[in-house]
């Protein structure tokens, strides 16, 4: 395959994924503007793997397609009315920096999503969520290029099939490259402090928990997250490795009967409940488990970590071991949250 500029040959991806596992791309392009992106797509013989900040994927093997990183920048604000503002953000903008800027502009909506790593363009892919807020609540549209054919579209949020850590982009890998997202934020919003520890974190910052600013809420979230989650700059990880499983409420009640301390939350649909995957993993005795340099974090059981020189395949093997142990003990199938490149999570039997 002979690719011309902006494609580079044999790129090292080990510093471009937050697990820090070794991986190489036969072809790699980082595009800083839309004309470079168009040129890259024109010269790309197969739909590329789109790479953002690499904080929600596991390279179980080298990607067998070219890898394209859309490093497009730019944020635009348009007032919709005295209370609502449309914020249009290019795909390569770092997510947490965007949260900071929106808080500086005193816009409410995404402050609970502070300190989530990665880029704005990847945020719709798994409908990022934290502390009671999901991106889908504030996303109005996405501009995306069809990777087969190259046509650009503005897709309304209703067409994106959002679910819990899920969207049509996650279900249709290799089909779309998101170039820009459109959020609707409010000047007259208010705090969402339903999670334990947030009010205390606000007090510790010297803020009034009854009337915090959006920036103070974001700062409180950052301090709680720094305490709870291992920092990928210190130890490679991709945040939560498993989704919290949803089961029928009947099933949840039966499990609660057998294990009274099992946390059970309301599910998305009536008659369904969500279980804590972290609790299931810890109760199966796996917190802190280590297989070579691949480990289950001793700080947070839902996070798999690279203690140093783990390979992606070793982290995948550990993830499968965790899922099997939880399945055997509780009869619950855990599903991975990150995108796994080069392997299926469940091996064909
Ligand atoms: C410490 C830590 C904490 C985290 N906490 C949370 C959390 O609280 N909530 C949460 O939801 N997530 C969390 N995550 C996961 C991750 O940060 C998010 O999913 C984030 O949106 C991934 O962004 P990224 O740019 O790194 O995407 P990448 O990892 O580069 O890509 C992820 C997927 O999106 C696709 N993709 C990326 N960019 C584009 C694009 N422009 N167009 C089309 N497809 C694209 C990729 O092909 C891949 O399939 C956490 C991760 C870490 C390391």
């Amino acid at each position: 395959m002979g690719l011309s500029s902006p494609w580079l040959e044999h790129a090292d991806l080990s510093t471009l994924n937050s697990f820090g596992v070794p991986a190489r791309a036969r072809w790699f392009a980082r595009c800083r503007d839309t004309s470079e992106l168009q040129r890259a797509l024109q010269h790309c013989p197969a739909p590329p793997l789109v790479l953002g900040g690499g904080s929600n994927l596991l390279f179980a093997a080298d990607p067998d397609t070219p890898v394209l990183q859309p490093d497009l920048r730019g944020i635009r604000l348009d007032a919709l009315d005295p209370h609502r503002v449309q914020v249009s953000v290019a795909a390569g903008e770092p997510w947490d920096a965007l949260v900071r800027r929106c808080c500086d502009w005193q816009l409410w909506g995404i402050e609970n999503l502070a300190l989530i790593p990665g880029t704005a363009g990847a945020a719709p892919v798994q409908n990022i969520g934290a502390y009671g807020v999901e991106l889908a609540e504030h996303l109005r549209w996405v501009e995306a290029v069809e990777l087969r054919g190259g046509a650009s579209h503005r897709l309304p949020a209703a067409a994106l099939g959002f679910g819990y850590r899920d969207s049509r982009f996650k279900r249709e890998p290799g089909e779309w490259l998101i170039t820009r997202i459109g959020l609707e934020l409010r000047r007259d919003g208010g705090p969402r402090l339903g999670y334990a520890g947030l009010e205390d974190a606000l007090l510790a910052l010297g803020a009034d928990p009854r009337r915090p600013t959006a920036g103070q809420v974001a700062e409180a979230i950052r301090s709680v997250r720094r305490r709870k989650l291992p920092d990928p700059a210190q130890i490679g990880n991709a945040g939560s490795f498993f989704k919290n499983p949803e089961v029928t409420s009947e099933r949840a009640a039966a499990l609660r009967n057998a294990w009274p301390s099992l946390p059970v939350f309301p599910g998305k649909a009536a008659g369904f409940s969500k279980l804590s995957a972290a609790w299931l993993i810890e109760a199966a005795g796996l917190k802190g488990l280590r297989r070579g340099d691949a480990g289950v974090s001793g700080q947070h059981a839902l996070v798999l970590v690279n203690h140093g020189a783990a390979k992606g395949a070793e982290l995948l093997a550990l993830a499968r071991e965790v899922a099997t142990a939880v399945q055997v003990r509780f009869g619950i199938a855990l599903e991975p949250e990150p995108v796994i490149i080069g392997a299926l999570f469940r091996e064909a039997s």
Side-chain angles (χ1 to χ4, degrees):
M1 171 166 73
L3 296 186
S4 53
S5 174
W7 291 97
L8 303 171
E9 222 175 329
H10 299 301
D12 178 12
L13 303 175
S14 60
T15 57
L16 301 182
N17 73 93
S18 64
F19 266 122
V21 295
R24 294 191 74 75
R26 173 81 170 85
W27 295 100
F28 176 81
R30 178 177 294 136
C31 300
R32 294 194 170 79
D33 57 47
T34 42
S35 59
E36 210 174 21
L37 180 65
Q38 273 164 6
R39 248 182 319 132
L41 288 173
Q42 271 161 13
H43 291 102
C44 191
L49 168 68
V50 184
L51 182 67
S55 66
N56 205 36
L57 44 79
L58 174 62
F59 287 114
D62 288 343
D64 59 4
T65 60
V67 175
L68 195 161
Q69 193 174 41
D71 194 14
L72 312 172
R73 299 303 179 107
I75 303 177
R76 214 181 50 228
L77 259 63
D78 293 291
L80 297 172
D81 63 33
H83 302 301
R84 296 177 307 138
V85 175
Q86 174 176 276
V87 184
S88 136
V89 190
E93 289 288 342
W95 177 261
D96 188 49
L98 171 70
V99 173
R100 276 182 199 281
R101 292 185 67 181
C102 291
C103 291
D104 289 347
W105 292 319
Q106 287 160 34
L107 296 175
W108 289 92
I110 55 172
E111 59 285 345
N112 285 30
L113 304 179
L115 209 63
I116 296 181
T119 55
V125 175
Q126 76 153 1
N127 179 22
I128 57 169
Y131 294 90
V133 173
E134 284 186 344
L135 179 79
E137 295 165 42
H138 303 285
L139 187 89
R140 294 296 170 262
W141 49 261
V142 151
E143 283 174 3
V145 180
E146 270 183 84
L147 289 172
R148 296 167 206 277
S152 293
H153 302 268
R154 182 178 278 207
L155 306 168
L160 303 182
F162 283 128
Y164 163 60
R165 301 294 185 274
D166 198 25
S167 74
R168 106 183 243 192
F169 300 114
K170 206 166 180 182
R171 294 190 296 273
E172 298 172 5
E175 299 291 327
W176 297 98
L177 183 149
I178 297 168
T179 51
R180 190 164 266 279
I181 67 170
L183 303 170
E184 188 181 306
L185 305 180
R186 298 195 72 94
R187 295 190 197 282
D188 62 348
R192 304 204 18 202
L193 304 177
Y195 269 71
L198 286 184
E199 291 202 6
D200 286 347
L202 280 166
L203 284 169
L205 292 172
D208 177 353
R210 286 163 308 171
R211 299 187 55 202
T213 63
Q216 287 171 329
V217 173
E219 222 26 69
I221 299 263
R222 287 191 189 95
S223 74
V224 172
R225 289 180 65 103
R226 281 194 193 101
R227 267 202 311 276
K228 277 194 175 171
L229 288 169
D231 177 358
Q234 310 292 329
I235 184 163
N237 74 84
S240 304
F241 197 90
F242 296 102
K243 297 184 189 183
N244 286 324
E246 280 219 332
V247 296
T248 62
S249 300
E250 206 181 341
R251 180 94 189 280
L255 286 162
R256 190 74 175 273
N257 233 359
W259 289 279
S261 59
L262 169 70
V264 176
F265 309 101
K268 282 271 170 204
F272 286 86
S273 299
K274 201 177 274 183
L275 309 178
S276 160
W279 187 95
L280 295 169
I281 294 168
E282 196 169 343
L286 303 168
K287 192 173 180 183
L289 173 74
R290 204 168 158 166
R291 299 280 182 237
D293 270 351
V296 178
S297 168
Q299 192 180 347
H300 196 309
L302 203 46
V303 180
L304 299 192
V305 291
N306 178 0
H307 285 285
K311 297 202 169 65
E314 292 166 332
L315 282 154
L316 177 60
L318 177 70
R320 287 178 178 148
E321 183 181 344
V322 168
T324 303
V326 167
Q327 175 80 56
V328 168
R329 180 143 186 166
F330 300 104
I332 301 281
L334 291 181
E335 293 297 331
E337 187 180 300
V339 174
I340 295 168
I341 308 295
L344 293 174
F345 182 64
R346 287 181 211 297
E347 290 163 300
S349 49

